Structures are given as structure tokens and as C-alpha cells.
Amino acid sequence: LREEEDSGKKNLNTNEDKRLYDGLFALDLEDMTIENTLGVLNPLPPEVGNKQKIDLITAADVLVYFGKLNSLFQTFAKISSVGAALVFSCERASNEEAPLGWRLLPSGRFAHTKSHAVEAAESAGYKLVAYKEIVPRMEKGEEVKGHLFTFSLRHTGTTDEL
């Protein structure tokens, strides 16, 4: 199953023309649910449908549009199965540069500290599996400092899984 969540209508139209995905959804990442993603592609009876979960979430150069990551990671955990992978990159800031854990850059993007990303993911039930400092892209001829994280969902925080 290949899906893309994208709030940019232009990107959706371009990708739809190429037929790269089984489903395209224009919605805010924080509003994702099983019903408005997997449920649209593969409608199942209510007693079965609520058991569908996502096994992998990837976000390459996407989280730069979010400041505090806690709510987003909680949303990801709610729609993911236990053991699901969360792999993402984001721009890197030091604790000194971003005492809150994130900061808005002149580019209009957010940079995050490693500690904020890890704490936000862990509070949502994820465990850090791998981490690497990377250069996610070049901007105006300069390397952008970034992180690449891989997490695994230990639990979703619901009482039947704890």
C-alpha cells in the first residue's frame, strides 16, 4: 500500500497524474485517522476497520513545518500498530540555539533538537532505534544541518496494550 499525505493541491495533482500512489489525501497530518486514510482505501465493517493500523510512517523533510512535535507523534502513534516504524528527518538545532527544543529559522522552517524529537517520540510510545546526523539538502549552496531518526512503536498508550 502506497499513500501520500499532502496539503499542497499542486503536489497532489502532479502525483495523481503519475499514478505513483494507491491513494492521495489532502489533509493536515495532525488530523490523520485510520478512518480518513486506510478506511477510505480499504473500507471494512466497523468491527474490523478499527483494527487496521499503519506499519510504517516516513517523513523526509516534512517535520520542518512543525514546531513542537508532541501532538504530531501522538497522532502517528494512534494510527500505528505496535512495532510500527517511524522514520523522519528534520533540521538540527543545538540545545543552546533552541532552548524550547525547536526554533523558527529565517527560512520559515523549524529546526529541532535531538532531545526534543526523542522526548516527544518517547512520550507517544516510541523507542529510538537509530539516529544519525545528516545533510538533508543544500540551501543557497550551503549544507543544511539535519537529523535522521528511526523509532519503533512500543505501545500506543491505550490501556489494552499497556
Side-chain angles (χ1 to χ4, degrees), residues 5-52:
E5 306 297 333
D6 195 323
S7 60
K9 295 288 187 189
K10 181 179 177 185
N11 286 343
L12 287 176
N13 292 336
T14 300
N15 289 328
E16 190 171 277
D17 292 341
K18 294 179 183 177
R19 304 285 181 220
L20 297 175
Y21 302 97
D22 295 332
L24 298 168
F25 307 100
L27 55 91
D28 190 300
L29 288 177
E30 291 180 323
D31 295 333
M32 288 174 57
T33 65
I34 291 299
E35 293 75 25
N36 68 14
T37 56
L38 290 178
V40 172
L41 292 175
N42 187 22
L44 294 173
E47 66 276 4
V48 176
N50 64 5
K51 293 182 172 117
Q52 293 186 112

Side-chain angles (χ1 to χ4, degrees), residues 33-122:
T33 65
I34 291 299
E35 293 75 25
N36 68 14
T37 56
L38 290 178
V40 172
L41 292 175
N42 187 22
L44 294 173
E47 66 276 4
V48 176
N50 64 5
K51 293 182 172 117
Q52 293 186 112
K53 296 285 182 163
I54 293 173
D55 295 319
L56 170 66
I57 295 177
T58 60
D61 212 16
V62 172
L63 303 188
V64 295
Y65 300 107
F66 294 85
K68 190 174 182 181
L69 299 173
N70 300 62
S71 176
L72 184 61
F73 291 166
Q74 291 290 335
T75 299
F76 289 167
K78 286 178 189 173
I79 64 172
S80 296
S81 59
V82 172
L86 169 60
V87 181
F88 65 89
S89 65
C90 57
E91 292 190 25
R92 181 169 20 109
S94 69
N95 290 328
E96 294 76 30
E97 295 169 322
L100 295 175
W102 70 94
R103 69 174 238 182
L104 185 61
L105 301 171
S107 65
R109 295 183 181 100
F110 287 93
H112 299 87
T113 63
K114 178 182 179 185
S115 60
H116 173 66
V118 170
E119 289 167 10
E122 286 179 346

